[in-house]
Amino acid sequence: MKLLAFDTSTELMSIAVMREVDGEARVWQHTSAGGAQASGALIPAIETLMAEARLGLSDLDAIAFGRGPGSFTGLRTACAVAQGLGFGAGVRLLPVDTLLAVAEDARLRHAAASDRLSVLALLDARMDELYAAPYDYYQGCWQQRSEFSMCRPQELPAAPVDALAGNVFVQHGARLAVPATLPRWEALPTAAALLHLAPALLAEGNALRAEDALPLYIRDKVAQTTEERATAKATRGMPNRPQT
């Protein structure tokens, strides 16, 4: 398959292109700073990567993008760019849950040989909160065990899993309400993970017309009051007692 994938839901902008060369899949990748910079840098980086892969947009079978949850600005940027490219080239879009991509990135980096795996995927939601979702992997397929949740680190819902995966451990690790012995795998919703997920998601009929592809927002409120920021700061200074 010929695929373009990108994600700007975190502070990392990740882009990848896949096509077959001499009978084998080859991947071109680009990573750089995301966040506020992604809106101006994403399209030029895509154009460069597509040129390296010697592909035109109309050659693509689909464009995959991280739909959320994640940074509001990042999600809007990814969706708007995907829609613009999809409309212009007549290519269908594949919105992919960012927490699913986190689980897949963790599997590829830490447990690629495992046929069965359970992961609690976590992303920093800012405002002293996390996005979370548990996933089970079996014989090449992922299943989401329950709905997305957003919570404070010390209120993380219990979920029997093999490992935690995400980008929350440096800032929130000491307060996570989970056993201290549970493995913690750094992972992100990378474009490479989106490419790995894309064939199965496309086979399941998840590709959409450009006008039907939308971001996934979990939170409506995007800023804290002064009082809420003070409370969050005080809470972070409190000792945490992980479950054992």
Side-chain angles (χ1 to χ4, degrees):
M1 302 186 73
K2 301 179 183 69
L3 299 169
L4 165 65
F6 50 87
D7 181 85
T8 58
S9 65
T10 70
E11 293 303 311
L12 179 74
M13 182 176 74
S14 179
I15 310 168
V17 176
M18 181 174 69
R19 65 168 295 188
E20 186 177 286
V21 178
D22 297 329
E24 295 186 0
R26 183 176 173 185
V27 176
W28 289 259
Q29 298 186 63
H30 170 88
T31 57
S32 60
Q37 302 178 50
S39 59
L42 181 56
I43 291 179
I46 289 173
E47 291 174 340
T48 298
L49 214 57
M50 292 288 288
E52 292 176 0
R54 297 184 179 180
L55 280 176
L57 289 171
S58 60
D59 297 324
L60 296 171
D61 294 298
I63 298 171
F65 70 96
R67 71 167 187 152
S71 158
F72 277 73
T73 301
L75 299 186
R76 288 195 296 269
T77 296
C79 186
V81 169
Q83 286 182 327
L85 298 178
F87 272 125
V91 176
R92 291 199 299 172
L93 306 187
L94 182 65
V96 181
D97 295 341
T98 50
L99 288 170
L100 173 59
V102 166
E104 177 66 0
D105 183 56
R107 186 189 71 83
L108 293 172
R109 292 170 59 182
H110 301 282
S114 299
D115 185 55
R116 187 187 294 267
L117 181 68
S118 59
V119 171
L120 180 60
L122 304 168
L123 280 174
D124 184 10
R126 301 183 183 179
M127 296 170 63
D128 199 40
E129 291 179 315
L130 315 174
Y131 297 120
Y135 293 90
D136 296 317
Y137 179 84
Y138 180 60
Q139 294 184 340
C141 297
W142 284 103
Q143 292 290 330
Q144 187 171 340
R145 193 186 303 171
S146 62
E147 293 297 319
F148 298 111
S149 62
M150 187 178 68
C151 63
R152 298 191 183 282
Q154 62 271 25
E155 298 168 351
L156 192 65
V161 293
D162 299 317
L164 308 178
N167 67 345
V168 304
F169 307 118
V170 173
Q171 183 173 357
H172 303 296
R175 293 186 294 131
L176 292 175
V178 295
T181 55
L182 196 62
R184 302 180 178 199
W185 296 341
E186 290 290 338
L188 286 168
T190 62
L194 298 182
L195 288 182
H196 274 267
L197 294 166
L201 294 174
L202 290 170
E204 293 170 1
N206 291 300
L208 303 174
R209 298 178 303 172
E211 59 266 33
D212 295 326
L214 299 172
L216 173 65
Y217 299 125
I218 303 300
R219 173 199 281 139
D220 294 324
K221 184 178 179 181
V222 297
Q224 291 177 316
T225 64
T226 301
E227 182 180 354
E228 287 170 335
R229 288 196 297 271
T231 300
K233 183 177 180 180
T235 300
R236 285 194 294 270
M238 296 174 62
N240 180 61
R241 297 180 179 178
Q243 298 177 3
T244 57

